[in-house]
Each structure stands twice: as C-alpha cells, then as structure tokens.
Amino acid sequence: MPALPDPIPTRFVAHLVASVRCTVEHSLLDDDRADVVETDVAFEAHVDGATVRVVGFPEIEGDVETAIGRVRATVRIDGEPEGRYDAATGHAAVDAALAFDPDSFLASTSRVTLLLATDARLADPKATGDPLDAGDDRVVLVGDGTFDGGSIDGGRLGLAITCRIERVETD
C-alpha cells in the first residue's frame, strides 16, 4: 500500500501502474468492434493545486481484426494531458487526445479527443470512474469519444484506465 497521507496533499507526484482497456466500435472492424487491453502500464500523475498532468503514458499495441485482415494497431496519447483535480474529493478530470495508428498501408491514423474522469460511467467497456482516496491505492478514469478522420472516422472509443498507486512523492 502506498504512503498517501490523509488528507490528500494538493501537491504530489503519483507513480502509477494501470490496466487500460480500449473498446473501439466501427463497421471496418470484425463484429463492428475491437478491444485493445494492456496491463502494467507505468506512468506518473503530477498534481499541483487544482491541476493534474499525466506524464510518460506509453504507447499501447494490440492486434485488431478488420475487414482487411489482422492489423497491428498502436494507441497513443498525444502530449501530456492536463486536467482538474479536487483534493477534497479525490475527483479528477483529464482532457486527452488519442491516436489509433494501424500498421497497414491500407489504413490511416484516426484521432479522438475525450474527457477521462473519475465521475464518469461507460456502458462499453462497462466501467465506472473512482476518485482517489487516502485509504485506497486506486483511481479509475473513464471516458468516451468519436474518432475524427482516418480509417475509423466516426467510430466510437470507450476507454477505461484503472490505476494503482505504486509510490507517492510529496513536497
């Protein structure tokens, strides 16, 4: 269990390990949907007052069955997303831009922007956000959005990131 002080401080760096599940719905995909799942994803959340910034989120790769066959796809977050954090409640909301980059000359990169939040719910993948709590070592961010451009333009993305805190550094 990490050493997260109670009350939760307003300035800290959380070293997180996450399980990430992306569900993509589009007619190009086999059965009109695909899941990309990755575990043990390590990154940091830098909290400074009411601002949270995600740092070092790695690329996630998975095989996706499509109308043109099996395609290796890379899902990545563009830049270092920032958002809002409320130390009193543990709620966070982060605006993120993702790219879904297929490894095929027949397909092109699609992008989606979404709000990942601890107070959101998703039907698919079935997930509910969960705020940071001093007595818990987890936080869950969920969100969804619609792809703009590329091969899966107009497709839907549902994203759930379940994080456990490995370590906390405070000022």
Side-chain angles (χ1 to χ4, degrees):
M1 181 75 92
L4 186 61
D6 189 4
I8 299 171
T10 57
R11 285 182 175 69
F12 63 94
V13 174
H15 299 267
L16 304 163
V17 176
S19 171
V20 178
R21 182 169 179 198
C22 301
T23 298
V24 179
E25 296 176 354
H26 191 274
S27 60
L28 175 70
L29 303 172
D30 258 11
D31 298 323
D32 295 331
R33 62 174 283 143
D35 289 316
V36 178
V37 178
E38 185 73 31
T39 58
D40 298 326
V41 176
F43 64 101
E44 294 180 354
H46 293 216
V47 175
D48 187 1
T51 301
V52 62
R53 184 168 43 98
V54 175
V55 177
F57 201 92
E59 294 182 344
I60 296 170
E61 294 184 345
D63 291 328
V64 177
E65 294 294 335
T66 73
I68 60 172
R70 181 175 283 252
V71 173
R72 186 81 172 155
T74 301
V75 180
R76 69 178 184 280
I77 292 180
D78 289 338
E80 295 180 344
E82 285 194 10
R84 302 169 309 282
Y85 170 72
D86 183 344
T89 64
H91 282 289
V94 177
D95 291 305
L98 279 76
F100 189 86
D101 190 15
D103 186 15
S104 169
F105 70 92
L106 297 174
S108 58
T109 301
S110 296
R111 289 182 164 51
V112 60
T113 57
L114 67 159
L115 179 68
L116 295 167
T118 57
D119 60 355
R121 291 182 182 275
L122 289 180
D124 195 11
K126 186 175 173 72
T128 302
D130 189 23
L132 182 61
D133 183 291
D136 193 354
D137 66 345
R138 289 184 341 138
V139 62
V140 181
L141 296 163
V142 298
D144 63 356
T146 302
F147 285 99
D148 185 24
S151 299
I152 52 176
D153 182 50
R156 183 192 162 276
L157 170 77
L159 178 63
I161 303 175
T162 302
C163 309
R164 70 179 187 279
I165 301 169
E166 291 286 305
R167 190 173 80 249
V168 174
E169 298 172 11
T170 58
D171 293 321

